[in-house]
Amino acid sequence: MTSKEKIVKNKSLQTNGSGKIAKKSNFSSSNLSSLKKNEHLNLFRKMYLIRQFENACGQNYANGNIRGFLHLYSGQEATGVGAISSLKDSDYIVTHYRDHGHALARGLDVNRSMAELFGKKTGLSKGKGGSMHLFDASKKFMGGHAIVGGQLPLAAGLALSQQYENKNAITTCFFGDGSTNQGIYHETLNLASVWNLPILFFLENNKYGMGSSIERVRAGGLDFFPAMDTYEIPSMEVDGMDVIAVKEATKIAREKIIQNKKPFFIESKTFRFVGHSYADGQKYRHQDEVKQWEQKDPILVYPKKLIDMKISTNDEINKIKIEIDEIISDAVRFANESEEPNLDEIYDDILAE
Amino acid sequence: MPEITIREALKTALNEAMENDEKVFIMGEDIGEYGGAYAVTDGFLKKFGSQRIKDTPISEQAFVGAGIGAAAGGLRPVIELMSISFSLVAFDQIVNMAGNLRYMSGGQISVPMVIRAPTGAGVQLAATHSQSFETWLAEVPGIKVVCPSNSYDALGLMRSAIKDNNPVIFAEPALLYGSKSNVPDEYFEVTLGEANVSHKGEDITIVSYGYGSKVLTDSVNKLNEIGISPELIDLRSLNPIDYEKIILSIQKTNRLVLVDTARKTGGIMSEISANINEKAGEWLDGPIVRVGSKDVPWPYNKTLEQEVLTDSDNILDSIKENYGI
Ligand SMILES: Cc1ncc(C[n+]2csc(CCOP(=O)(O)OP(=O)(O)O)c2C)c(N)n1
Ligand SMILES: [Mg+2]
């Protein structure tokens, strides 16, 4: 019996939050009735926006408008959109360098996001951050962090500020499977647990850290959430290709964090359909595996379900697609036409007054 | 004017800040129940409670990072590292996160945080506990670095550091916690980035900071005995560096000696030497002289350690040798 089976079998999702809980989430999009039509369409809209944004990024990388490292979120949309749709405006979000999806899911300005990737003055960070460092403090979106694992304690600190000031809010920190092999991951889990911080650790397990499959680099098997017992952090596993499942899991996690005043951990099983970054030949994995996961592509599966279950229609879905395509081409135009930063801005934004 | 130790000065500034601003809190290893490795926060837990005096696990990366996050979230953390040598463990958070956060967010996020850390050799703690990494940290554009040599500066700099809206590394010379000097009763602050001409003189400008400044004070008499009147500058701040005061002084003395108790190679004095050479080289009548500790790991043995550590004789010898006195 693997440790995962043991835990799933022995423990049910408890509501008192004392001690350890770990359970495979059993929400799925077969359970579509919990949401209004409007909410469904918004989830699709966001996921499609991200996919098309990423496609546009790819093109503009190829033609030289975007440089540096570019990590696309394509394939993982259900995870980011589902999770962020269950957070409140008062919650902080911190994420890793594969951050376009989270930024757009949070509602960051599409034009200014694209302009940031183009390095323009109108970008979210005035062209100083780039693809890996998207920020919008006014939306409590606190980055975009490119040192693997480095964002974890930042999130713990934001959660500490919420706890310190008795805010009825949480901090959600997204990170990849690769960061779980950093010491800082273990330090932060322990710290958050002993200090009872209102933080949601959100693991996007896409099975690979660059070219390293978790099978090769991780002791303890393919599941991460059972290890949370060690830190006394309640945890949950969720199908990261299923936007409703992720949304529901995150909603529950958020409630538990607020109620029990303790951290929570979600492991979302997901997959990136594209290379790690733009320059990745993907020699480390078989295309069959990619093909298999593409069967679960949320951009295809979810609207099909909505149509099959007569929640929406082909026309409505197509109309959304046309709207979004327009938004994306506007964003590319905006980024293209925006000014370069002035040279004297080099010295701005280093120190605060 | 009461005479107090640097430890008491720091304690006074921290206590004031805790009393005046709810957003200020202190965290670090064994700062609460234990009272702090150098007893600076002794008694604070009882007075302010465990919400504001936070004992941390031995996880420098996590609690330094959490301090940055708390600051980004609007609080004003003061973090204690047991030794500046341990900053290495948290270097990524200090440099990549605290130092870069404001810039890469295009000015959206600031990090009003102080990291206090004992620094320097001289107490026989050997190689891993005796280093002076404030000199490394002074290279990072987004953080300020200060280091006091006396109680007045310790109190005034700490008051300013806690009020500052940027990450400030506050290096505290381990040898000087018990060192006493006068502090006025009236409230004052010391502006971050301003050096102090601590002794007026005519013949040579000698620059140092922290424990080095203490060594300089001890060498004034020896220099006077051989007929040299030194002007002493205590940097107080390693980032930014007060070049104006240094240049003003060498326009009078035309000679510059840079003294560091950190290792000589790659330290802050190398940087100052290069900069003065470029900015004001024409005012100098002789070479810029650097005096620093020997380029070896810090030894434990007392005699060996003292041999490595910069002292007033090293300063005297270097001056005689380089200026042919
Ligand atoms: C400290 C550090 N080491 C290495 C890298 C280079 N690097 C960038 S992303 C990455 C893989 C991370 O994988 P994972 O956390 O699973 O996230 P994913 O890319 O799958 O979203 C590596 C090794 C880095 N940015 N930071
Ligand atoms: Mg991964």
Side-chain angles (χ1 to χ4, degrees):
Chain A
M1 201 160 50
T2 67
S3 62
K4 170 185 151 193
E5 280 162 355
K6 236 189 294 181
I7 284 162
V8 171
K9 218 164 140 190
N10 293 347
K11 296 188 180 79
S12 61
L13 195 63
Q14 296 166 8
T15 48
N16 61 14
S18 62
K20 320 153 188 176
I21 55 168
K23 186 179 181 302
K24 216 176 155 95
S25 141
N26 48 15
F27 323 105
S28 76
S29 47
S30 55
N31 181 22
L32 293 179
S33 55
S34 61
L35 295 185
K36 297 195 188 83
K37 171 178 178 175
N38 191 20
E39 291 175 292
H40 282 300
L41 292 183
N42 276 338
L43 291 174
F44 173 69
R45 191 173 277 122
K46 281 268 157 78
M47 290 198 293
Y48 186 74
L49 174 73
I50 294 169
R51 179 66 57 86
Q52 293 302 79
F53 187 91
E54 299 300 54
N55 287 338
C57 286
Q59 285 158 15
N60 282 283
Y61 198 87
N63 67 24
N65 283 331
I66 299 174
R67 296 279 81 186
F69 284 141
L70 177 72
H71 309 90
L72 302 181
Y73 198 62
S74 310
Q76 302 184 201
E77 292 90 346
T79 289
V81 170
I84 290 170
S85 72
S86 281
L87 301 178
K88 304 259 188 276
D89 290 348
S90 52
D91 295 342
Y92 282 116
I93 295 174
V94 176
T95 182
H96 45 115
Y97 47 85
R98 198 178 296 286
D99 57 355
H100 309 172
H102 311 103
L104 297 178
R106 182 56 159 187
L108 269 62
D109 188 82
V110 185
N111 289 354
R112 295 188 63 207
S113 301
M114 188 61 84
E116 185 59 35
L117 272 66
F118 277 54
K120 295 298 180 71
K121 191 178 181 156
T122 52
L124 289 163
S125 300
K126 307 178 196 166
K128 287 173 176 164
S131 162
M132 302 190 286
H133 310 110
L134 298 179
F135 288 84
D136 187 346
S138 72
K139 294 206 157 68
K140 294 202 156 31
F141 190 85
M142 308 300 270
H145 296 275
I147 298 298
V148 170
Q151 77 276 25
L152 285 149
L154 183 84
L158 288 161
L160 174 62
S161 74
Q162 292 167 319
Q163 179 192 59
Y164 192 92
E165 300 196 308
N166 292 314
K167 297 256 167 73
N168 202 29
I170 72 161
T171 298
T172 297
C173 185
F174 294 94
F175 52 95
D177 44 278
S179 55
T180 66
N181 284 331
Q182 290 279 23
I184 204 166
Y185 168 72
H186 305 278
E187 288 191 15
T188 309
L189 288 167
N190 180 68
L191 187 82
S193 184
V194 294
W195 284 0
N196 294 317
L197 298 179
I199 180 169
L200 172 56
F201 291 100
F202 202 109
L203 166 59
E204 299 190 74
N205 178 1
N206 61 8
K207 299 182 71 186
Y208 294 89
M210 255 176 103
S212 301
S213 83
I214 49 178
E215 283 156 54
R216 286 197 291 123
V217 298
R218 177 173 198 260
L222 303 184
D223 297 323
F224 293 78
F225 71 94
M228 288 309 109
D229 281 9
T230 316
Y231 307 98
E232 300 184 319
I233 295 178
S235 64
M236 204 194 284
E237 182 195 27
V238 66
D239 177 357
M241 306 306 276
D242 182 336
V243 67
I244 303 297
V246 179
K247 182 181 177 63
E248 288 296 312
T250 308
K251 187 169 167 239
I252 290 183
R254 192 184 185 284
E255 278 162 9
K256 294 232 166 287
I257 292 166
I258 295 279
Q259 241 172 48
N260 303 329
K261 301 191 187 308
K262 269 179 192 293
F264 202 95
F265 182 101
I266 291 181
E267 172 175 0
S268 181
K269 295 280 204 307
T270 183
F271 202 77
R272 61 171 157 74
F273 293 164
V274 292
H276 165 72
S277 65
Y278 199 75
D280 173 3
Q282 301 191 57
K283 284 181 290 197
Y284 51 86
R285 66 185 188 185
H286 204 281
Q287 275 308 301
D288 286 354
E289 190 191 15
V290 181
K291 291 247 156 57
Q292 235 172 36
W293 278 88
E294 279 173 353
Q295 303 298 309
K296 297 181 165 202
D297 187 345
I299 303 298
L300 305 174
V301 174
Y302 182 56
K304 186 170 180 304
K305 264 199 185 134
L306 294 181
I307 294 166
D308 287 351
M309 296 188 65
K310 307 227 179 311
I311 293 173
S312 182
T313 63
N314 230 330
D315 281 356
E316 279 177 334
I317 298 292
N318 282 334
K319 209 176 137 230
I320 289 175
K321 287 186 177 175
I322 291 165
E323 263 169 45
I324 300 287
D325 290 347
E326 187 87 1
I327 289 172
I328 296 296
S329 45
D330 284 353
V332 171
R333 189 173 327 114
F334 175 84
N336 246 324
E337 289 171 0
S338 287
E339 268 179 70
E340 288 279 314
N342 300 329
L343 289 185
D344 56 10
E345 284 175 45
I346 290 171
Y347 295 105
D348 294 344
D349 306 320
I350 298 172
L351 292 170
E353 287 293 298
Chain B
M1 290 244 290
E3 201 177 49
I4 63 171
T5 62
I6 287 188
R7 177 182 291 105
E8 285 159 345
L10 295 169
K11 218 176 163 125
T12 304
L14 292 171
N15 182 65
E16 252 172 38
M18 289 290 288
E19 282 179 348
N20 296 340
D21 187 351
E22 282 277 307
K23 290 188 187 285
V24 176
F25 72 98
I26 306 178
M27 66 173 157
E29 289 157 11
D30 283 316
I31 60 152
E33 300 270 355
Y34 185 96
Y38 289 88
V40 174
T41 52
D42 199 21
F44 276 36
L45 178 63
K46 194 155 174 246
K47 179 164 179 191
F48 297 106
S50 60
Q51 274 302 96
R52 298 184 67 203
I53 302 296
K54 299 183 92 67
D55 275 327
T56 67
I58 308 168
S59 305
E60 280 81 3
Q61 300 191 76
F63 72 75
V64 170
I68 299 167
L75 303 183
R76 305 190 85 86
V78 177
I79 296 172
E80 176 175 312
L81 291 175
M82 276 189 181
S83 159
I84 207 158
S85 285
F86 308 161
S87 73
L88 294 185
V89 178
F91 229 62
D92 173 57
Q93 288 300 315
I94 299 173
V95 177
N96 265 322
M97 195 59 90
N100 289 337
L101 201 47
R102 186 168 178 82
Y103 200 72
M104 64 188 177
S105 68
Q108 296 183 63
I109 297 175
S110 36
V111 183
M113 169 185 74
V114 178
I115 298 180
R116 299 178 37 234
T119 187
V123 278
Q124 285 193 267
L125 297 178
T128 57
H129 283 53
S130 305
Q131 298 162 101
S132 303
F133 292 125
E134 67 275 7
T135 65
W136 287 13
L137 290 159
E139 185 274 339
V140 184
I143 58 186
K144 299 184 179 181
V145 180
V146 298
C147 181
S149 69
N150 56 61
S151 303
Y152 178 92
D153 289 344
L155 179 53
L157 286 172
M158 186 57 85
R159 283 172 171 157
S160 301
I162 297 175
K163 284 188 182 167
D164 200 271
N165 287 326
N166 296 286
V168 180
I169 305 293
F170 201 103
E172 302 168 358
L175 270 176
L176 298 184
Y177 278 115
S179 152
K180 281 190 168 180
S181 51
N182 288 328
V183 163
D185 289 319
E186 324 67 78
Y187 185 86
F188 66 95
E189 289 175 11
V190 173
T191 307
L192 306 185
E194 277 184 13
N196 175 35
V197 180
S198 55
H199 182 87
K200 290 253 177 226
E202 302 301 325
D203 303 330
I204 302 182
T205 301
I206 313 183
V207 174
S208 193
Y209 74 92
Y211 180 64
S213 288
K214 184 77 172 45
V215 177
L216 280 194
T217 316
D218 299 342
S219 45
V220 171
N221 283 341
K222 291 184 185 175
L223 287 164
N224 285 342
E225 276 166 24
I226 57 168
I228 295 173
S229 151
E231 177 141 304
L232 306 186
I233 296 184
D234 185 348
L235 286 175
R236 300 194 289 201
S237 165
L238 307 194
N239 187 11
I241 289 169
D242 190 348
Y243 283 109
E244 218 179 289
K245 281 230 176 68
I246 300 173
I247 291 170
L248 223 78
S249 177
I250 60 170
Q251 285 171 344
K252 175 170 65 177
T253 65
N254 311 111
R255 291 192 199 279
L256 179 60
V257 176
L258 302 167
V259 175
D260 206 335
T261 49
R263 282 192 281 264
K264 183 174 175 183
T265 296
I268 197 71
M269 296 306 166
S270 315
E271 179 61 28
I272 294 177
S273 168
N275 253 304
I276 292 296
N277 187 41
E278 288 166 12
K279 287 181 207 272
E282 71 274 18
W283 288 97
L284 295 171
D285 286 346
I288 299 174
V289 175
R290 275 187 307 144
V291 188
S293 292
K294 297 188 172 53
D295 289 321
V296 298
W298 288 98
Y300 159 69
N301 173 280
K302 190 176 173 81
T303 317
L304 294 186
E305 185 185 38
Q306 289 304 319
E307 176 62 17
V308 173
L309 184 62
T310 305
D311 63 15
S312 50
D313 287 339
N314 297 146
I315 300 170
L316 218 67
D317 291 348
S318 288
I319 289 174
K320 285 184 186 164
E321 193 186 317
N322 283 283
Y323 296 136
I325 298 160

